[in-house]
Amino acid sequence: MLLSSGGYGIVEAGMFVTLLGALLIFLGILYLAAQALRRGRLSAGTPERPRVQAGSLEPPGRVTAFRLGANWPGLALIALGAILLIAVAAIPAAS
């Protein structure tokens, strides 16, 4: 195992970055789920919602289940975690 001046090995640093990437992805997914739950039930209809005509599969109003403006922090956490995991996988392991 190669040692750096700090006394930590490359393997330990790689494991730390891997765990950090996995944690960021988990927190991003958790953030996205919390945003969806904060908006309320997806199946609950609102009183001002017009009735759907029979034979139509289109939603009666604007669908706001996923808004990029509200979800960008979660997507950024997932992307950063994925970049870290890819970076660790791209670096060859020293034996």
Side-chain angles (χ1 to χ4, degrees):
M1 175 172 35
L2 300 173
L3 291 177
S4 63
S5 61
Y8 294 105
I10 292 176
V11 174
E12 287 87 3
M15 182 58 77
F16 174 74
V17 174
T18 301
L19 290 175
L20 182 63
L23 180 66
L24 286 173
I25 289 175
F26 178 74
L27 289 176
I29 292 171
L30 192 65
Y31 183 85
L32 291 176
Q35 287 294 325
L37 291 175
R38 194 173 300 152
R39 281 191 290 273
R41 293 182 54 169
L42 296 175
S43 61
T46 57
E48 67 272 357
R49 190 175 189 177
R51 305 258 324 155
V52 178
Q53 294 178 353
S56 174
L57 295 177
E58 294 186 22
R62 222 176 104 185
V63 177
T64 59
F66 183 81
R67 295 180 302 180
L68 189 59
N71 293 321
W72 73 266
L75 295 173
L77 286 173
I78 293 171
L80 185 60
I83 289 170
L84 288 176
L85 290 177
I86 291 169
V88 168
I91 298 172
S95 322

